[in-house]
């Protein structure tokens, strides 16, 4: 296999196809998780500073890792844009993952607002990775708006339910030119592997690792699964024989010369 | 009064730099927005907080899903 | 490899004309740069041509084997790589399996319908010297251009036969068949038909928009071959010689508001496997860029013409043509596939059950002879034909034959709103 298999976001080349979330676990474990995951991109959130507990998460993240701040907490495009600008002011690059949710029960992304925010931020030079509901029209609009990738959800965020939207993610993979990064709901390494076999460019996971019995070991398990899925995709999946061959008359009997 | 991270604080008249220093903020780890506009770090000395300002002081925390 | 002998001299040409014909036939340096736009030709920034030509040039079909083909036939979604395997010589032994898969895809997207239409040639004047074409400007044929009264008469005759969709064609002469002339013909067509396609010389976006407003719904342009080097040796003179302007015609038509576009290579001119790959990729990339438009592919093979009955499609036999059509269907399940009367009855009857979705009927490629062809009235003033057809079934016969094959003939599914 070609070991130069990389993917590019915003002009940056990445070898690892595992984007790790840093929520829901302690700072001490982040470093071990990043190392075991082999992740080169890690997501962060932006929050009001707590001066009582003056701990900087950046101290726990290895230097060579690209930071991907998200706009979680934003309820519309305007708030997402504000959060993105603040995150860039924090001085860690131009990457931003847009998350706009107006449903506090299911935390489903609002595609229409996400498209608006993508357009504004892409014009300001951000490398925009929008979290989205896997809808082809929205994906095309996001591409037109200047997104660097699309991040469709596999199932509701934090649910660990796996590829509930599989067929729709496959459509995005088949029909758009942007990298498709499957985000949200991936609960097990096998599900991450399956998404990679389908042709996803990368996987983003957080809860599945943060809530595992042993966080660093699970991070390593995801790494292996994502690599296996990628290799399988590149190799070309073998054929699946349908049960029971059709015994109809030959269709090509009419051909001459 | 100045709204800072959602609280009403009697900080009008102070420079932003002074306020941040008094409250133990570590400048390298924060970004400041005032009335929905970013204040760049090098301007903290010049910016004087005034009555009615809405200030957000933020930093990175763990986050994913 | 066998070659066609295309050059034919007419004794009616003047010495000067003959001299120029021989010069451009024999001396490539006497010909213009075929990649250079002529004055008045609109350039759009597309990018599709470079992608298609790059893929076609790099296509090494000898590297695919039986396992690649089997995997492609059974893949859930046919990738570009799978499609290449299906076009390769390694796929020939799996033609029946390909046909079964193609049939399943056709049924999924089109049920058992087959669309019917007829072409209407309104003029055969041409300014180009395309050496394989009966209309080429050096070929000694009867030239004719119908006036509006004659066009309307032809349309009445065709409409009375029951046909609801026509494809209007001209030779490629802007001088003889102006945009205004074609536009007026479109307005007439709208009176008699539900769906009007055009197969005319490529034009600019605003001209396509005008023709759409006059009543045209669909634009078909054949690239003939996607091999620019070969193209240069076949289209020796005229605006058609400009390869990139022709390539972007479908995209300009969509930009001008046309509902759909037709794409094709003329199989037998160059390496047909590469041309088939390029044809399908042309549609594939356009669909990704303009997902709202409709796409259709044709698959003409070279045919004999007046004054040269030896022209033939070389290595593209019926089996190869069937392979190409099955591969098109598996790769692009949603596109329309038209099989023209260049093919014989047995082939058309067979292929509509596998991959094709549209057939022509009641066809004449001559000018102004529908009265004679449909009703048996002779017309000595008719203009000569572009090529010999192989399936002369009338609309009624074709309708009956399709129904007898268990298919549902459809005359149009287009409602003006």
């Amino acid at each position: 296999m070609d070991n130069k298999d990389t993917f590019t976001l915003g002009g940056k080349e990445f070898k690892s196809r595992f984007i790790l979330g840093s929520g829901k676990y302690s700072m001490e474990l982040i470093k071990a998780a990043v190392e075991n995951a082999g992740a080169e991109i890690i997501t962060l959130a932006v929050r009001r500073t707590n001066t009582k507990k003056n701990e900087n998460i950046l101290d726990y993240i290895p230097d060579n890792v690209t930071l991907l701040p998200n706009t979680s907490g934003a309820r519309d495009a305007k708030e997402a844009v504000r959060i993105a600008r603040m995150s860039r002011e924090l001085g860690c690059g131009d990457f931003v993952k847009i998350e706009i949710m107006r449903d506090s029960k299911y935390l489903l992304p609002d595609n229409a607002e996400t498209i608006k925010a993508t357009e504004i931020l892409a014009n300001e030079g951000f490398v925009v990775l929008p979290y989205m509901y896997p809808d082809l029209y929205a994906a095309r609009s996001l591409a037109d708006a200047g997104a660097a990738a699309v991040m469709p959800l596999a199932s509701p965020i934090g649910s660990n339910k796996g590829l509930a939207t599989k067929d729709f993610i496959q459509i995005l993979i088949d029909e758009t030119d942007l990298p498709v990064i499957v985000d949200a709901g991936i609960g097990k390494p096998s599900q991450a592997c399956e998404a990679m076999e389908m042709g996803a460019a990368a996987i983003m996971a957080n809860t599945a690792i943060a809530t595992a019995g042993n966080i660093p070991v699970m991070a390593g398990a995801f790494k292996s699964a994502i690599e296996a899925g990628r290799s399988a995709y590149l190799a070309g999946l073998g054929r699946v024989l349908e049960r029971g061959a059709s015994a109809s008359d030959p269709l090509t009997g009419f051909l001459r010369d | 009064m100045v709204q800072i991270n959602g609280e009403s604080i009697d900080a009008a008249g102070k420079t932003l730099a002074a306020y941040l220093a008094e409250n133990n903020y570590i400048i390298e780890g924060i970004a400041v927005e005032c009335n929905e506009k970013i204040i760049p770090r090098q301007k903290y000395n010049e910016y004087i907080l005034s009555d009615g300002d809405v200030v957000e002081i933020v930093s990175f925390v763990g986050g994913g899903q | 490899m066998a070659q066609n002998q295309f050059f034919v001299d007419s004794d009616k040409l003047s010495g000067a004309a003959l001299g120029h014909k021989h010069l451009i036939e024999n001396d490539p340096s006497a010909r213009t740069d075929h990649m250079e736009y002529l004055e008045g030709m609109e350039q759009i920034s597309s990018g599709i041509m470079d992608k298609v030509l790059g893929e076609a040039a790099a296509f090494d079909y000898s590297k695919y084997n039986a396992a690649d083909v089997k995997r492609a036939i059974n893949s859930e979604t046919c990738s570009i790589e799978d499609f290449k395997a299906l076009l390769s010589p390694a796929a020939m032994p799996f033609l029946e399996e390909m046909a079964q898969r193609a049939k399943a895809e056709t049924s999924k997207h089109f049920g058992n319908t087959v669309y019917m239409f007829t072409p209407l040639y309104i003029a055969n004047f041409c300014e180009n010297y395309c050496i394989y074409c009966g209309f080429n400007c050096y070929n000694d044929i009867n030239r004719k251009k119908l006036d509006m009264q004659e066009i309307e008469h032809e349309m009445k005759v065709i409409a009375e036969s029951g046909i609801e969709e026509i494809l209007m064609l001209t030779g490629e002469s802007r001088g003889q068949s102006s945009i205004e002339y074609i536009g007026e013909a479109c307005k007439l067509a709208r009176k008699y038909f539900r769906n009007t396609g055009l197969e005319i010389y490529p034009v600019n976006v605003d001209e396509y928009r005008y023709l759409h407003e006059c009543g045209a719904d669909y634009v078909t342009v054949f690239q003939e071959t996607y091999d620019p080097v070969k193209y240069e040796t076949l289209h020796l003179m005229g605006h058609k010689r400009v390869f990139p302007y022709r390539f972007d015609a479908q995209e300009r038509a969509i930009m001008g508001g046309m509902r759909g576009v037709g794409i094709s290579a003329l199989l037998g001119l160059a390496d047909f496997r590469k041309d088939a790959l390029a044809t399908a990729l042309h549609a594939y990339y356009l669909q990704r860029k303009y997902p709202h438009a409709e796409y259709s592919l044709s698959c003409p093979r070279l045919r004999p013409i007046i004054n040269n009955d030896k022209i033939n499609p070389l290595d593209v036999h019926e089996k190869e043509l069937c392979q190409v059509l099955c591969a098109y269907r598996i790769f692009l399940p949603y596109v329309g596939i038209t099989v023209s009367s260049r093919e014989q009855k047995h082939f058309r009857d067979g292929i509509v059950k596998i991959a094709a979705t549209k057939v022509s009927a009641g066809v004449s490629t001559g000018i102004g002879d529908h009265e004679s062809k449909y009703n048996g009235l002779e017309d000595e003033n008719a203009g000569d034909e572009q090529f010999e057809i192989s399936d002369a079934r009338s609309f009624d016969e074709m309708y009956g034959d399709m129904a007898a094959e268990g298919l549902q003939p459809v005359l149009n599914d287009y409602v003006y709103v």
Side-chain angles (χ1 to χ4, degrees), chain A residues 21-24 43-49 51 54 57-58 69-70 78 82 85-87 89-90 92 99 157 183-184 204 206-207, chain B residues 4-7 23-26 28-33 36 38-42 44 55-65:
Chain A
S22 63
K24 300 181 187 165
T43 68
L44 298 168
V46 178
R47 289 289 180 274
R48 284 172 172 169
T49 309
T51 48
N54 238 332
I57 187 170
L58 299 183
N70 65 36
K78 192 180 159 209
R82 279 176 65 197
R85 288 173 182 157
M86 287 192 270
S87 76
E89 184 61 19
L90 284 164
C92 298
E99 289 186 24
I157 209 161
D183 186 5
M204 151 96 210
N206 189 160
T207 307
Chain B
I4 299 178
N5 281 358
E7 286 179 52
N23 290 278
N24 304 319
Y25 283 97
I26 297 165
E28 291 70 40
I30 60 168
V32 180
E33 183 201 71
E36 302 193 4
I38 302 282
I39 310 292
R41 248 168 234 170
Q42 63 273 21
Y44 291 172
V55 179
E56 296 290 338
I57 304 167
V58 300
S59 43
F60 282 133
V61 298
Q65 292 158 3

Side-chain angles (χ1 to χ4, degrees), chain A residues 18 20-22 25-42 60 62 65 205-206 209-210 214-223:
Chain A
F18 185 10
L20 185 65
S22 63
Y25 50 111
S26 70
M27 301 260 181
E28 295 77 49
L29 279 170
I30 285 179
K31 191 161 180 285
V34 172
E35 280 168 6
N36 277 21
E40 293 173 315
I41 303 175
I42 187 162
Y60 298 88
V65 170
N206 189 160
I209 290 127
N214 183 323
I215 289 174
V217 171
M218 185 57 87
F222 264 85
K223 172 182 192 278

Side-chain angles (χ1 to χ4, degrees), chain A residues 63-237:
Chain A
D63 284 344
N64 56 347
V65 170
T66 296
L67 300 180
L68 177 59
N70 65 36
T71 66
S72 63
R75 286 157 300 176
D76 58 24
K78 192 180 159 209
E79 290 181 0
V81 168
R82 279 176 65 197
I83 295 171
R85 288 173 182 157
M86 287 192 270
S87 76
R88 180 151 74 177
E89 184 61 19
L90 284 164
C92 298
D94 295 327
F95 280 64
V96 65
K97 176 186 170 197
I98 300 184
E99 289 186 24
I100 301 175
M101 295 139 177
R102 293 194 297 164
D103 182 299
S104 57
K105 186 172 178 187
Y106 297 104
L107 299 172
L108 295 174
D110 181 325
N111 281 352
E113 289 294 314
T114 302
I115 292 163
K116 281 190 229 167
T118 298
E119 185 159 12
I120 295 167
L121 292 171
N123 281 332
E124 291 181 14
F126 281 91
V127 177
V128 183
L129 307 173
Y131 172 54
M132 55 131 20
Y133 197 84
D135 172 83
L136 180 57
Y137 292 107
R140 285 182 179 137
S141 299
L142 288 167
D144 291 343
V150 288
M151 302 184 75
L153 61 89
S155 51
I157 209 161
S159 71
N160 281 0
K161 280 189 170 175
L163 286 165
T165 57
K166 183 177 176 185
D167 287 0
F168 303 97
I169 288 178
Q170 186 70 60
I171 288 171
L172 297 193
I173 291 169
D174 290 345
E175 300 301 327
T176 63
D177 295 326
L178 293 179
V180 173
I181 300 168
V182 177
D183 186 5
I186 295 288
K188 304 182 216 178
S190 58
Q191 295 159 350
C193 184
E194 187 177 8
M196 293 305 294
E197 287 167 358
M198 289 162 55
I203 301 293
M204 151 96 210
N206 189 160
T207 307
I209 290 127
T211 59
N214 183 323
I215 289 174
V217 171
M218 185 57 87
F222 264 85
K223 172 182 192 278
S224 305
I226 289 166
E227 288 171 357
R230 179 65 186 171
S231 296
Y233 172 74
L234 292 177
L237 293 175

